Amino acid sequence: MLKIYRIRSQHPTCLAQAALALMLGSGAMAQTATSVPRIRETNASSQFPGELTATEVASLEKQIAGWIEKLGDPNYAMRLQAQSELERIGVRALDQLHRASFDPNPQVASQARFLVQSNQFNWAWETDPFPVRRILENYTTAALYDKSTYIEQLDALENDEGLPALCRLVRYETQGCLAKKAALLLMRGKTSIAMSQNERRAMIDTLVNGTLSTAGAWVAQYAAQDSEIAIEPWLKTIQAEQELLARKSPDTSIEILNGLRRWVVEQIPKTISEQRNKALELARSIPADFGSAGANRNQQSIEFEQWALSVGLPELVREQHAELSELSLLNPRFGYLLAESYLPSEETDAARLKPQAPNTDKNAVANEIAELTSQRVSVDANGTRKTPIDPTESENSKLNQHLLETMQRNASQAFERAEMGEFLIRRGRFNWAETELRLAIKNREDEAEFATILTLTQLSLLLHEMGRNEEAAACLDKFVDRFEKEPMFKAQVSEQGADSLVSNYYLYQGDHAQSVDRTEEARQHYLKSIELAEDNVDAIIGMYRLPNQTEEQILERRKLQQRISLELRSEIDARERDLKRENPRFQATEQSSLANQMNTLAWLIANTEGNFEEALHLSRKACSLSPNRSAYLDTLAHCYAALDRYSEAIEQQRRALALEPHQPSLIAALQHFEAQLAASQKKMDDAKR
């Protein structure tokens, strides 16, 4: 795979140990240790290591009750001390403070409500792993409207490391919207190699046990359910949220309500007609709560249609399309999503990779809508064209042909089509994306504009990913010809990164030559690719994989690899030093560049030869610097595979695929790792016999 550049580190904390150490009993521990019992190293009478005993829990609850009672003390100083002590105990006191909000003593009830609503408690506990503590410390001090961001960061931590903290927010957070957001993220869940889904549910159930919050009730209901959802209780829960929203309660929002609706729809099996109808009915209520008009409405509709397709309810897309305004229909995303809704549900990723798939009866309507959309002709929900380019002329008139050519040569139109191509690539609609990108580049294949370089890069990468390396190189022929023959053109486009594009041209040539057993030709193309851009390490990897190499050729490749590796290490060391001195405003950019360099070196080593442990270390650091990058996760998976750690490789590859579900190289790598794991297990089983 061509590197656009890859990953995310795994924190060494063992998930099971970290999470179990933060079970509810150990939640009594606040940041100020003097106010609560210390957690013992071992506890033979507890179910989990570090959990408080029943005696310790009872002692703490008695202590909290005593301070709550003093909130109504006639002595002002004593009331202040009680408030201070309860704040020091932290969120563990919230359950009892909630109950005290209804105390017969109005002074106690008033002070308890004040403490509950003040949000002055420190959410970070000293038993939390460092990444969790850092996020929770920011959460504690953040403005109310910013706190949601930190909840998402907890959910994004690897291996469910943020799970105990999310449970803590669900149980103790007094702002209903925030607690419910944490609950929805918990319920969406992520399985990992550390624990099964059932084990995860059991842990969540223990962590929220005894909660008084609505969000906690959601999570408890989720944790207790079997593999198949009981729909009716959840429909009642949704109704309750709708009533809260109608009363303009601060404990919910339209985002929370729609998030809950979506989650329930996702849980409903759709193989039985009655269940599918319930899912449809619930899903249809979501668009009714969108904004009234404008670009935001369009964006909400596009996002909803993508979700509807992902949960297997394509009819919702057609229903939405029928409600769109004439202005909205000008957005080609709606046309392509409508086309996708007519595709057979059993279509596989492999089928999408076939160049120019024929118009079978099943996909003829979809391809016709996609073709009209590529011409920027609006269609109705049935796929019937609505307007030509110029409504006063026929589509084939000279005027319309002139308008079309003008649009194609306009840089803004090229950018728009390039963006549309990227949208379709992310959706796995490669043939339609290819059409958009070829139209974007038509009549401008060798122009010295950034729009040309961008579109050529996208198109050639797409063809390369689909294994069509000869075509990937061919689409760059005109550009490369000018680059090599015209010094002024070369100087102009080099400033826009054209050297890398031309380097890729020779990489594709080399990959194609290797695929047809023209080994020496492939080797020369790879050398040319490296000459133009030494950081194009895929060319080195291509050389490594060439068959029947002489000792001299192997030595030459190793020298090249050593020089490039040394340069990358020097750049990494220099950038790490600079990062320590860098103005915080620029650190994000520096971290991104550092992650890219680390990932590049890790990818090179993992796919050739060298210290695979070093590659793994670099890859994990790249991931921590730049999380949620599918290319980086792919590199991490390859590093684990190089060390024969196939279970971990599969885990990371699945993470990468969750971000880019249709990317061919990611799919192929996962299949390879799964086959390797199966072969490894079979070998071990055979050895035991």
Side-chain angles (χ1 to χ4, degrees), residues 7 616 619 632-642 645-646 648-654 656 669 673:
I7 313 209
L616 178 61
S619 181
Y632 288 10
L633 288 165
D634 181 38
T635 297
L636 183 55
H638 280 77
C639 290
Y640 279 122
R645 294 163 64 174
Y646 294 112
E648 290 153 297
I650 290 168
E651 173 73 9
Q652 298 305 324
Q653 200 66 24
R654 285 175 178 164
F673 298 150

Side-chain angles (χ1 to χ4, degrees), residues 150-302:
Y150 298 107
I151 295 176
E152 292 169 359
Q153 289 179 12
L154 286 172
D155 181 61
L157 291 174
E158 283 199 18
N159 284 337
D160 242 354
E161 196 171 34
L163 183 146
L166 287 172
C167 288
R168 194 179 310 159
L169 292 171
V170 166
R171 177 162 185 171
Y172 297 121
E173 176 57 74
T174 59
Q175 298 294 329
C177 280
L178 295 174
K180 289 172 182 176
K181 171 144 193 172
L184 285 171
L185 291 174
L186 276 174
M187 287 153 56
R188 289 198 174 278
K190 299 183 294 287
T191 56
S192 71
I193 58 175
M195 66 172 70
S196 68
Q197 189 66 27
N198 286 338
E199 289 171 334
R200 185 179 187 273
R201 285 176 186 267
M203 177 175 287
I204 291 172
D205 187 49
T206 304
L207 288 167
V208 300
N209 183 39
T211 180
L212 300 175
S213 70
T214 301
W218 292 4
V219 172
Q221 185 177 344
Y222 153 78
Q225 76 185 32
D226 295 326
S227 56
E228 188 167 315
I229 186 173
I231 301 173
E232 295 306 323
W234 285 107
L235 293 179
K236 291 179 181 177
T237 300
I238 290 170
Q239 180 62 36
E241 283 302 296
Q242 288 175 307
E243 292 171 0
L244 279 178
L245 190 66
R247 297 200 303 268
K248 298 183 179 179
S249 167
D251 286 334
T252 194
S253 67
I254 192 60
E255 291 77 20
I256 294 297
L257 175 57
N258 280 339
L260 183 58
R261 285 167 169 163
R262 290 188 182 200
W263 180 80
V264 174
V265 170
E266 289 162 11
Q267 309 309 306
I268 298 175
K270 302 173 185 68
T271 54
I272 300 173
S273 177
E274 182 181 352
Q275 293 173 328
R276 182 180 177 81
N277 288 338
K278 286 185 178 179
L280 278 168
E281 182 182 357
L282 182 55
R284 285 184 179 119
S285 64
I286 295 173
D289 293 317
F290 288 168
S292 58
N296 188 50
R297 167 83 191 205
N298 278 352
Q299 185 56 42
Q300 288 175 318
S301 296
I302 289 168

